[in-house]
Amino acid sequence: MKEKLQEIHSKALNDIESINHLEELQNIRNIYLSKKSELMSYMSHMRNLSGEERVAFGQLINSIKEDISNKLEEKKKILEEAKLQEKLNSEIIDFTLPGKSYSRGSKHPFNIIVDEVSQIFIGMGYQIAEGPEVETDEFNFELLNVPKGHPARDMQDSFFIDETNLMRSQTSPVQAHVMLSKHGVGPIKIISPGKVYRRDDDATHSHQFGQIEGLVIDKNINMGNLLSTLELFAKSMFGEKREVRMRSSYFPFTEPSVEVDISCFECGGKGCSLCKGTGWIEILGAGMVHPNVLKMCGFDVNEYQGFAFGVGVERVAMLKYGIDDIRKFYANDKRFNKQFNKE
Ligand code: DAH
C-alpha cells in the first residue's frame, strides 16, 4: 500500500510539472486531492490497521497531500508570473501618444458676485454672518414683523416642510438670529450671503436663488447712513459714475422702506433697453429696521436704530454681465460659467 501511495505521489508531481496553463491547475487538484481522488480513497483502509500502523499511514497520506498542495501552489505562482510577463511584453506603452487633457474649472458667476459684494462690505468693516437654509416660521416671518395671515406672505410663495419649518424664502431671518445673539447690545454690522427658496420659475425667477442681506444696528443710525453706504456699494460694483436714488416702498420689517435704483450703467442715464428707457435700474430693497423687529429681537428702540437691505445675487450678476435667463446659472454648462472669470 505504501508503494502505491508513493506511486500516486510521484505521478502527481510529474503531472504538476507538466502543467502549462493556469486553467489546468484545478483539474489536477481535483484528480489528486478531491474527496473522490485515489489518494483519499486510501483513507478508508486506515480502519483495518493497528494503532501504530494507522498513525504512520495517516502521517504518510497527510504529508503526500501537503506536498502535492504546496507544489500546486508553487506552480500557480510560476504560471501567474509568466502570464504577467507575457502581458507586459505584449502591451507596449507608446509615450508619444497625446495625453488626456483635463480642463480646469472656474469660479461660478454666482460666487464671483458674492465674493465681490462681500469684499466691498468687508472693506467697510462688515462681518459675514450665515444662517440656516431650513428656517422656522418664527424666524423667516414672525420675528420680521410678518405674523401668520399677514398679506405680505403672499409675495413669498414658500416651500413649507411642515407646519413650522420651511426652506427660507429670504436671507432676512439672519437679521433676527444675529440680533438675538447680541442680547440687546450693539453695534451690529453684518452682511449675510446665502441661498433662498420660493415657488417661482421663469426667465428672471428661479425656485432657488441667492440674496445678500445687510444689517447695521447702532446708536444714531439714520437714512443718510443707509444712502451713503448703498452709494459706495453701487459705485464699487457698477462704476464710479453711478448715482443712487430711493423710492418709497413697503417691507414689513423696515419703516420707512425704500426701493433703491442705480443710474443705468449701460446708457449713463439717458435711457436704453436695459433700463427700459427710464435711465434707472432697480437693484435692491432696504429701509430702517422696524421698531417691532428691534423689540422682538431684544433691542431697546429708544437707544438703538438700524438699517437693513437685501440684494439679489443673480439679479446683480444678470445686470452686470448681461445674462438674459436666470436658469443659466444652474444649467452646469462650463462654457457659460467660464465667461466671467478674469483670470
Ligand atoms: N427680504 C426682502 C425680499 O426678499 C428683501 C429686503 C428688503 C431685505 C428690504 C431687507 C430690506 O433687509 O430692508 O424681498
Side-chain angles (χ1 to χ4, degrees):
M1 232 170 357
K2 215 168 159 190
E3 290 73 45
K4 185 69 194 154
L5 288 179
Q6 267 149 6
E7 199 181 298
I8 294 172
H9 189 185
S10 64
K11 192 159 173 288
L13 296 186
N14 271 339
D15 283 355
I16 293 170
E17 188 60 42
S18 61
I19 293 177
N20 287 320
H21 299 287
L22 275 166
E23 297 75 37
E24 295 166 44
L25 277 168
Q26 191 55 37
N27 197 21
I28 301 293
R29 180 181 291 277
N30 288 343
I31 292 174
Y32 291 102
L33 298 180
S34 71
K35 285 204 183 90
K36 288 185 191 136
S37 66
E38 205 184 348
L39 184 65
M40 291 305 143
S41 71
Y42 280 95
M43 288 293 216
S44 57
H45 292 295
M46 291 207 346
R47 67 183 121 90
N48 307 324
L49 301 173
S50 66
E52 250 171 62
E53 278 176 319
R54 189 185 295 170
V55 172
F57 189 77
Q59 278 172 350
L60 180 62
I61 290 193
N62 275 339
S63 73
I64 293 174
K65 223 171 83 182
E66 211 177 296
D67 189 47
I68 294 176
S69 182
N70 288 342
K71 292 282 173 356
L72 280 166
E73 243 353 88
E74 276 166 29
K75 189 72 185 188
K76 188 174 166 209
K77 281 203 187 110
I78 292 167
L79 289 173
E80 277 173 350
E81 176 66 18
K83 195 170 174 180
L84 181 66
Q85 274 310 324
E86 197 184 296
K87 208 165 168 219
L88 286 176
N89 292 339
S90 66
E91 289 175 6
I92 295 162
I93 296 167
D94 182 353
F95 292 104
T96 63
L97 280 175
K100 265 191 197 159
S101 70
Y102 290 96
S103 63
R104 208 171 139 217
S106 53
K107 213 189 232 182
H108 194 281
F110 182 96
N111 292 329
I112 296 176
I113 296 296
V114 167
D115 288 352
E116 224 173 299
V117 175
S118 301
Q119 284 311 319
I120 293 169
F121 281 98
I122 286 169
M124 290 192 248
Y126 284 65
Q127 290 184 327
I128 309 282
E130 288 192 322
E133 285 176 27
V134 177
E135 266 299 359
T136 56
D137 190 273
E138 185 190 11
F139 275 90
N140 196 79
F141 292 124
E142 286 161 42
L143 288 169
L144 298 169
N145 206 26
V146 188
K148 288 207 168 70
H150 194 289
R153 290 192 180 210
D154 288 352
M155 291 193 295
Q156 301 188 6
D157 208 353
S158 316
F159 294 114
F160 271 84
I161 293 164
D162 54 33
E163 282 282 303
T164 45
N165 296 292
L166 69 155
M167 301 304 290
R168 67 176 176 189
S169 60
Q170 48 185 351
T171 44
S172 305
V174 182
Q175 291 189 29
H177 283 293
V178 173
M179 278 191 259
L180 285 168
S181 76
K182 291 286 184 177
H183 304 288
V185 185
I188 294 171
K189 220 172 157 187
I190 57 110
I191 59 160
S192 184
K195 279 179 269 175
V196 302
Y197 304 84
R198 287 183 204 178
R199 207 182 151 275
D200 260 338
D201 186 20
D202 64 31
T204 53
H205 297 87
S206 159
H207 61 277
Q208 175 199 304
F209 60 102
Q211 287 190 333
I212 302 175
E213 193 78 16
L215 176 70
V216 171
I217 305 278
D218 206 348
K219 293 168 186 174
N220 303 319
I221 296 289
N222 56 47
M223 286 288 271
N225 301 134
L226 172 61
L227 182 61
S228 59
T229 301
L230 295 179
E231 251 166 13
L232 191 60
F233 164 64
K235 286 181 198 297
S236 313
M237 198 73 197
F238 293 101
E240 259 315 299
K241 296 218 175 77
R242 296 290 69 76
E243 282 169 41
V244 169
R245 79 172 182 188
M246 288 175 164
R247 285 175 291 111
S248 90
S249 182
Y250 173 77
F251 298 103
F253 33 86
T254 44
E255 181 59 37
S257 302
V258 289
E259 231 141 336
V260 178
D261 301 336
I262 57 168
S263 56
C264 181
F265 46 86
E266 191 74 21
C267 63
K270 287 199 270 314
C272 67
S273 62
L274 185 69
C275 59
K276 301 189 186 96
T278 64
W280 296 94
I281 295 174
E282 187 192 322
I283 188 88
L284 53 82
M288 299 304 292
V289 179
H290 197 292
N292 286 354
V293 176
L294 281 170
K295 266 186 239 162
M296 281 188 280
C297 294
F299 276 82
D300 182 347
V301 292
N302 296 316
E303 217 184 331
Y304 284 101
Q305 305 79 40
F307 65 75
F309 56 89
V311 55
V313 177
E314 288 88 346
R315 176 156 174 79
V316 172
M318 287 168 89
L319 287 170
K320 192 161 169 156
Y321 299 128
I323 299 166
D324 59 357
D325 194 325
I326 195 170
R327 289 167 288 208
K328 287 183 177 158
F329 285 87
Y330 304 107
N332 261 344
D333 187 336
K334 267 202 247 173
R335 293 165 305 177
F336 169 77
N337 296 351
K338 270 203 161 151
Q339 297 170 66
F340 314 102
N341 280 265
K342 286 187 217 117
E343 312 105 61

